[in-house]
Amino acid sequence: MKWACFITGTDTGVGKTIVTAALAAALVQRGLSVGVMKPAETDCPPEQGREGAHDAQLLRRVARCAAPLELVVPYALPLPLAPALSAEEAGVTIELAEIVRCYRELLATHDVVLVEGAGGLLVPLTAQQTMLDLAVTLGLPLLVVARNVLGVINHSCLTVAVASQRTRVLGVVLNHPVPPDESDPAVRSNADALRRWCPAPLYGPLPHLADLSEEALTAAGSRLLSAELLEGMALDIAEGERIAASAAAAAEEGVPTEPLNEAGA
């Protein structure tokens, strides 16, 4: 049996990397070999390249993943912009087929692969494809990370509604990337509101993690890793490979899987 999922967010800065690391740590504790992937990481110092991809490095360390860094982070880009824009500024062409190749190699050598996107669901990855296109190309279900603030109901429901049109949504993780203001009525009520109105299971809320030790991350991940979530991550390998091969062939031919309106990007 193989497991995998794509971790996206309602926005940037919602704590996707911490949630991915927490899940990786909890899966490792269960005795599974965990591959991690940040297909495109931005804000990487040019002089450091992939070595400066701090999110990917954290995930790799926590997952005890020995895979080469070029598989974990195929594209390390310098400017803190959406991957498509950072790549354009750096003169780099992001190839969907290369990301698919790296993912499939990680999947072949690990029990579980966790793929963390950049920013939110519709952030441009290439001139024509978004993070959602990538998740669909890889044939992966989505886990959505949301920040526990005023507005999270709308952000979460929009993300789930769009994603559900094209792939399975495993649920929403309500997260605290910064210490919460417990006097804020939105912070206190968001979890119940999401259970009421968001059409996806709710996981969390996760506490703010100031300590990123393996012990703290494992404890947080264990709060998320229910049997239901793990079952949702189980892959139909044949179907996933068919989708990936089809999308990779389309990308090589220059055919977008889901065209992004550049005029409105």
Side-chain angles (χ1 to χ4, degrees):
M1 176 66 72
K2 297 276 187 176
W3 298 266
C5 75
F6 192 100
I7 295 90
T8 191
T10 53
D11 196 358
T12 190
V14 298
K16 293 185 302 297
T17 301
I18 300 305
V19 169
T20 306
L23 283 172
L27 288 161
V28 167
Q29 186 186 53
R30 291 195 176 199
L32 298 170
S33 62
V34 180
V36 288
M37 191 178 190
K38 178 92 173 184
E41 182 166 342
T42 62
D43 200 15
C44 303
E47 66 277 8
Q48 296 181 30
R50 289 189 178 92
E51 295 297 329
H54 299 299
D55 290 353
Q57 293 279 29
L58 171 64
L59 295 178
R60 192 166 174 248
R61 173 179 62 80
V62 171
R64 303 178 189 176
C65 177
L69 200 52
E70 56 264 29
L71 293 182
V72 175
V73 56
Y75 295 97
L77 305 163
L79 293 180
L81 299 170
L85 295 175
S86 191
E88 287 174 5
E89 291 289 336
V92 173
T93 300
I94 295 178
E95 300 285 354
L96 213 61
E98 173 62 11
I99 296 175
V100 170
R101 182 192 69 80
C102 293
Y103 165 74
R104 294 179 73 177
E105 190 165 334
L106 287 169
L107 188 63
T109 53
H110 296 85
D111 299 319
V112 188
V113 179
L114 302 177
V115 182
E116 183 199 342
L121 188 69
L122 297 185
V123 163
L125 174 64
T126 71
Q128 294 179 306
Q129 290 139 339
T130 66
M131 286 294 155
L132 177 56
D133 290 311
L134 176 58
V136 172
T137 298
L138 298 177
L140 296 181
L142 279 174
L143 187 63
V144 179
V145 181
R147 180 172 39 215
N148 191 6
V149 294
L150 183 65
V152 73
I153 302 170
N154 181 58
H155 298 160
S156 300
C157 290
L158 279 174
T159 301
V160 170
V162 173
S164 297
Q165 295 174 21
R166 300 183 60 204
T167 191
R168 287 187 297 120
V169 178
L170 299 176
V172 174
V173 177
L174 190 58
N175 189 43
H176 292 103
V178 298
D181 177 1
E182 299 295 350
S183 67
D184 185 339
V187 169
R188 297 197 307 269
S189 64
N190 277 335
D192 286 340
L194 286 171
R195 291 188 187 98
R196 182 177 178 185
W197 283 297
C198 188
L202 182 71
Y203 296 95
L206 279 186
H208 171 65
L209 291 182
D211 174 13
L212 297 184
S213 67
E214 288 190 24
E215 293 77 10
L217 288 168
T218 301
S222 297
R223 295 180 58 169
L224 297 177
L225 196 58
S226 65
E228 178 187 11
L229 180 58
L230 195 59
E231 181 181 347
M233 290 167 58
L235 293 180
D236 181 333
I237 299 299
E239 176 66 6
E241 289 185 349
R242 183 193 66 76
I243 293 172
S246 174
E252 288 176 358
E253 295 172 6
V255 179
T257 55
E258 182 76 6
L260 180 68
N261 184 348
E262 290 188 54

